[in-house]
Amino acid sequence: MSTEVTGMIECRPGARLWGLDDEDTVWEPGIDLGLLNGGNAYDGLACLFGVRNHFGFRPLAEGRGFPDDASEAVRREFEACGGPRYVHSTTWLTWSDVAATDWRETDATGTRTRASAAGPETRWGPVWSVMRTLATLHGGENVRLVVWFH
C-alpha cells in the first residue's frame, strides 16, 4: 500500500508589519504542495517527516500535529481529505526549520544524505524555492508547510 503526501504552504504576511499579537496577523494560504512536488519518494518523506522511515533518518518535523492556527484553506483541504479519521502523521515545518537543516547529515547507514533525499536538487526543490521566496518577504518563522499522509 502506498503513502501519499498532501499539504499546503502558508504564510503570515502581517507578522512583519504588525507583530504576532495583532488580530490581523493570521496564516494565509500560499500554494498547494501538489502543484510543486509531484512525487512521494519515501526517502524524502522519511527525512523530512519520519513517515516510512526504514532509512533511519532523524526527521526534521515529525509528529507536530495539525496547527491550531492553520489558515481556512488548509483546514478545508485537510477536512476534504477526511481529517484526522482518514489521514495520519500530520505535521508542519517552517522555512526557518528548513534553512537550519544540515543537508549533509546521513541516514542510519551513513550512505544517504538529507540532500539526496529531500534537498534542492530533488522534487522538493520547488517547494524550498517558494518557501525561501516567501520567507524573504515575511520572515522564516512566518512561512510553513503543513502536510498529512494517506
Side-chain angles (χ1 to χ4, degrees), residues 36-129:
L36 300 171
N37 181 341
N40 66 336
Y42 293 147
D43 57 349
L45 302 182
C47 167
L48 298 171
F49 311 113
V51 172
R52 290 202 169 224
N53 194 4
H54 0 282
F55 302 94
F57 278 107
R58 184 181 55 82
L60 294 181
E62 182 177 29
R64 292 180 174 176
F66 191 83
D68 292 336
D69 58 352
S71 66
E72 282 304 312
V74 170
R75 287 182 189 285
R76 280 192 306 274
E77 184 66 25
F78 183 70
E79 289 302 322
C81 290
R85 291 184 25 218
Y86 294 101
V87 302
H88 63 90
S89 306
T90 304
T91 194
W92 53 271
L93 76 159
T94 66
W95 174 252
S96 294
D97 295 326
V98 176
T101 298
D102 177 359
W103 292 100
R104 297 167 300 178
E105 185 177 338
T106 62
D107 63 5
T109 67
T111 57
R112 183 180 300 251
T113 64
R114 286 190 184 282
S116 69
E121 300 303 318
T122 69
R123 289 183 172 211
W124 288 96
V127 176
W128 307 147
S129 180

